[in-house]
Amino acid sequence: MRPQPEAGQFGPSTGKTAVDYSEEMMHIRKDMGGIKTAWRDTEKGAGGIEETMEDTQKDIGDIRRDIKDTKQKLEGIDARLESIELRFHTHLAANDNNNIARMQNYSADRADSRIRPLYAISTNEKIENFPKTVGDIDQLDAAQLDVIIYLLGHPRPDHITQKRLKLKKLAGIFYAEI
């Protein structure tokens, strides 16, 4: 077995010359330069990662704000839909009540025949001061007729005779002599 040279020795017993060691040192220095460059790049990369993290956090904040805004808009839409649904059901119920009243009023064939009141389309409440008899319709003035026809959701005719005829038809009264 050959004796091992001590660290830092060179010569014939190691099989390496000073030139060999010099070349190895140049390779080591070159590798060290590469390591330093890689380390600097890593530090730069860490800064880039920090910037990327900050950008990502900003994006997440933007997304959260967008979600919050969208949620508020959807809540507003939901409230409007509920309002529309309520108006629809109120309108539908008033139409049902008015159709029942019209069927009952259909048999009114004289001026003293009692009639059932109609309901306001927007509230489904009985129209106040609705005429009690067929003859009471003929006693209403133009302004009173306009209010009732408006509450029933219909356009108002111009002439008082047309207004009275319109209210009689809306109330379900169809006899020609009335």
Side-chain angles (χ1 to χ4, degrees):
M1 196 152 96
R2 273 167 72 175
Q4 293 294 321
E6 290 183 28
Q9 289 186 343
F10 61 92
S13 63
T14 63
K16 291 188 177 185
T17 66
V19 174
D20 292 332
Y21 283 111
S22 178
E23 286 177 5
E24 280 185 39
M25 287 302 290
M26 284 181 11
H27 287 296
I28 290 172
R29 282 191 182 118
K30 187 176 180 183
D31 289 345
M32 287 299 290
I35 290 171
K36 285 180 183 176
T37 301
W39 180 257
R40 279 193 300 271
D41 290 347
T42 302
E43 287 177 337
K44 288 179 185 174
I49 290 172
E50 287 174 10
E51 287 177 25
T52 302
M53 290 294 289
E54 288 174 12
D55 290 345
T56 301
Q57 288 173 344
K58 286 177 186 175
D59 290 345
I60 289 171
D62 291 343
I63 290 169
R64 285 185 176 152
R65 276 187 294 282
D66 289 347
I67 289 171
K68 184 179 177 183
D69 291 346
T70 302
K71 182 180 176 187
Q72 288 174 338
K73 288 177 184 176
L74 287 174
E75 287 170 352
I77 291 169
D78 189 44
R80 286 192 301 268
L81 285 175
E82 285 178 16
S83 173
I84 290 169
E85 182 180 19
L86 178 62
R87 286 194 313 262
F88 173 76
H89 288 293
T90 301
H91 185 91
L92 193 61
N95 273 332
D96 287 346
N97 287 329
N98 287 340
N99 285 334
I100 291 168
R102 286 180 189 110
M103 288 186 334
Q104 293 173 342
N105 292 341
Y106 185 75
S107 62
D109 58 352
R110 296 185 323 259
D112 65 344
S113 297
R114 294 197 56 79
I115 57 175
R116 306 274 302 181
L118 298 179
Y119 292 73
I121 291 297
S122 62
T123 63
N124 190 31
E125 294 176 4
K126 286 182 183 178
I127 296 174
E128 285 186 43
N129 301 320
F130 194 85
K132 305 260 187 268
T133 66
V134 175
D136 290 343
I137 293 174
D138 292 328
Q139 301 305 312
L140 297 175
D141 63 31
Q144 292 170 314
L145 289 163
D146 280 343
V147 168
I148 293 172
I149 293 169
Y150 172 78
L151 290 173
L152 293 170
H154 288 270
R156 297 171 302 274
D158 294 329
H159 192 270
I160 193 162
T161 305
Q162 293 170 329
K163 292 177 190 210
R164 287 181 178 138
L165 182 61
K166 174 101 173 182
L167 181 54
K168 287 177 183 178
K169 286 182 179 180
L170 290 172
I173 302 164
F174 294 101
Y175 287 102
E177 66 238 27
I178 295 177

